Amino acid sequence: MTTTDLLALEERYGAHNYHPLDVVIERAKGVWVWNVEGRRFLDCLAAYSAVNQGHCHPRIFAALVEQARRVTLTSRAFRNDQLPQLLERLHTLTGYDMALPMNSGAEAVETAIKAARKWGYTVKGIAPNRARIVVCAGNFHGRTVSIVSFSTEAQYRDGFGPFTPGFDVVPFGDAAALEAAITDETCAFLVEPIQGEAGIVVPPDGYLAQAAAICRERRVLLVVDEVQSGLGRAGALFAHQHDGVRPDAVIVGKALAGGFYPVSAVLAHREVLGVFAPGDHGSTFGGNPLACAVARAALDVIVDEGLPDRSAALGAYLIDRLRSLSSPYVREVRGRGLWVGVELDRPARPFCEALMDLGVLCKETRERVIRIAPPLVITTDEIDWALERFAKVLR
Ligand code: PLP
């Protein structure tokens, strides 16, 4: 089928909850994808950072196939041989005592919210049903009803109320506002170390460190959402490591399975995840053996191929080159690692469409920002290839 045929089918039979670029991808390898007509494009989105390891990485693929031959799903009614091995790997890699595996990023955020609330009641001693969580304006943590309850994007909420109570919104990057918002009923501060969907917004230096100190002093959990920023994207295994902080809980997803499978998790110390008793929380698919085998291979690739360091070095190069483009449309180039936002003075969509015509796939975020987030296995030559096209479009 051609692109035109497939677009017509999708328009007719699919819900219109996305506005994708009209490129119909049929296969992919590393940083490259091909459409149904066989045209090649450089992927500068990496499935919103889920394919940090590059598309169809052979090591992760091998783990998937090998595990799919043996057993794929047991549910947590029984145990499987892969889950303990993933849990141990996460512990040795991150130092957290425990992990709770889920599937999507939003589910892991919901899990962290439940853990924080239960910690608030059972450990901190907050009165029943009074626990509050401080979040940031401009946040993006997913699309469930509870999560959009504290979104500050009108479109994410319009038409979806009534909402879940118990959240207080403060400006991102403002530690004093966080401190002022905390009460005796606050159980957690939930924050992205860099706001991705808001347009790769990097907070002022020292913000997370100040937030961590405030949380410690006021006995509030620091819960960091690393679903998009983590696992190498921001030039470190976790973006919060740039600030030298140790959150009480870390939420991971996306690249945890290198794009082969939805796998997410909450990582935390025993004091936090230990609040869950059997029956408190669960998921039919969370922790299934296929997911765990894939996630272990995906983590191995991140570590063995040094992807966080690669992201730091190549990201600095990319940002530097983009800043020197001298475009009349560009207001700011910002980012960390291979995670770059190019803020324009006008809507970014036509620029993304022009880039697609030249063979580079990017997606606008929050209307005026072009997000550039290629798989972390990209080479300098490939970045230069993309930069030639950015130069053409942005000048
Ligand atoms: N948290 C952050 C920071 C994200 O960027 C996203 C997705 O973009 C999510 C959570 C939700 O993840 P998912 O789409 O897998 O539910």
Side-chain angles (χ1 to χ4, degrees):
M1 272 195 269
T2 65
T3 292
T4 314
D5 299 334
L6 292 160
L7 290 182
L9 284 181
E10 189 172 324
E11 281 302 294
R12 177 153 184 202
Y13 296 116
H16 295 173
N17 58 324
Y18 274 95
H19 182 32
L21 291 178
D22 286 339
V23 53
V24 182
I25 296 166
E26 181 183 67
R27 68 194 166 90
K29 183 106 203 85
V31 297
W32 298 97
V33 302
W34 284 262
N35 75 358
V36 285
E37 280 81 24
R39 182 163 177 218
R40 188 178 80 146
F41 299 82
L42 182 67
D43 180 3
C44 280
L45 184 67
Y48 298 102
S49 299
V51 284
N52 287 355
Q53 300 88 337
H55 288 277
C56 299
H57 193 290
R59 264 180 87 183
I60 312 174
F61 175 73
L64 176 99
V65 170
E66 158 71 13
Q67 186 59 40
R69 283 206 184 94
R70 297 172 59 224
V71 58
T72 55
L73 184 60
T74 53
S75 84
R76 301 276 310 266
F78 312 125
R79 299 177 191 265
N80 72 71
D81 68 334
Q82 295 300 310
L83 174 60
Q85 298 180 68
L86 173 63
L87 297 174
E88 185 187 35
R89 184 80 182 95
L90 286 168
H91 165 71
T92 51
L93 188 61
T94 69
Y96 284 101
D97 294 337
M98 292 179 154
L100 196 162
M102 297 294 282
N103 312 284
S104 68
E107 283 174 297
V109 172
E110 290 275 354
T111 302
I113 291 170
K114 287 173 77 173
R117 285 180 168 183
K118 193 149 190 210
W119 175 88
Y121 300 125
T122 58
V123 180
K124 186 169 173 174
I126 298 172
N129 297 321
R130 300 289 305 175
R132 305 195 66 80
I133 295 177
V134 180
V135 298
C136 287
N139 71 72
F140 186 84
H141 297 284
R143 300 289 201 157
T144 63
V145 169
S146 285
I147 293 172
V148 300
S149 294
F150 55 85
S151 173
T152 54
E153 267 300 284
Q155 199 202 345
Y156 297 172
R157 295 162 52 92
D158 280 356
F160 302 122
F163 297 113
T164 305
F167 300 97
D168 299 301
V169 182
V170 296
F172 181 59
D174 184 343
L178 164 66
E179 184 152 34
I182 292 173
T183 70
D184 290 346
E185 293 178 339
T186 306
C187 62
F189 174 46
L190 169 64
V191 64
E192 297 156 85
I194 294 172
Q195 288 188 330
E197 296 308 299
I200 326 296
V201 181
V202 184
D205 279 348
Y207 171 59
L208 266 193
Q210 282 173 287
I214 293 165
C215 286
R216 202 177 317 114
E217 198 185 308
R218 305 287 298 275
R219 214 165 168 227
V220 165
L221 298 177
L222 175 63
V223 180
V224 171
D225 182 345
E226 293 266 9
V227 168
Q228 191 167 162
S229 55
L231 302 176
R233 175 52 59 191
L237 184 64
F238 294 121
H240 67 255
Q241 291 171 327
H242 288 301
D243 300 78
V245 300
R246 185 82 174 142
D248 296 293
V250 177
I251 306 165
V252 287
K254 294 193 192 274
L256 183 54
F260 281 86
Y261 209 83
V263 186
S264 63
V266 177
L267 317 174
H269 290 303
R270 195 167 300 278
E271 179 181 307
V272 178
L273 279 179
V275 299
F276 285 122
D280 277 356
H281 190 56
S283 156
T284 301
F285 291 98
N288 75 68
L290 188 59
C292 293
V294 166
R296 200 146 50 93
L299 289 171
D300 287 346
V301 168
I302 291 169
V303 173
D304 295 350
E305 297 190 12
L307 295 186
D309 288 346
R310 199 181 167 80
S311 172
L314 292 177
Y317 175 77
L318 174 63
I319 291 176
D320 189 51
R321 293 298 153 106
L322 284 167
R323 283 189 179 145
S324 64
L325 277 185
S326 76
S327 156
Y329 313 114
V330 174
R331 276 205 180 147
E332 190 186 18
V333 176
R334 54 177 181 252
R336 210 149 202 190
L338 278 168
W339 203 26
V340 184
V342 178
E343 182 162 344
L344 307 179
D345 63 356
R346 61 196 66 203
R349 176 87 184 187
F351 290 83
C352 294
E353 282 165 357
L355 282 164
M356 179 177 75
D357 290 342
L358 296 176
V360 175
L361 297 183
C362 286
K363 189 71 170 58
E364 76 277 10
T365 176
R366 295 282 159 94
E367 200 185 359
R368 289 182 174 209
V369 180
I370 306 176
R371 173 189 354 218
I372 309 174
L376 307 180
V377 295
I378 195 167
T379 63
T380 313
D381 284 351
E382 287 161 341
I383 290 179
D384 287 340
W385 190 91
L387 280 165
E388 277 171 35
R389 281 138 188 96
F390 283 118
K392 272 194 191 143
V393 167
L394 290 171
R395 281 189 190 133

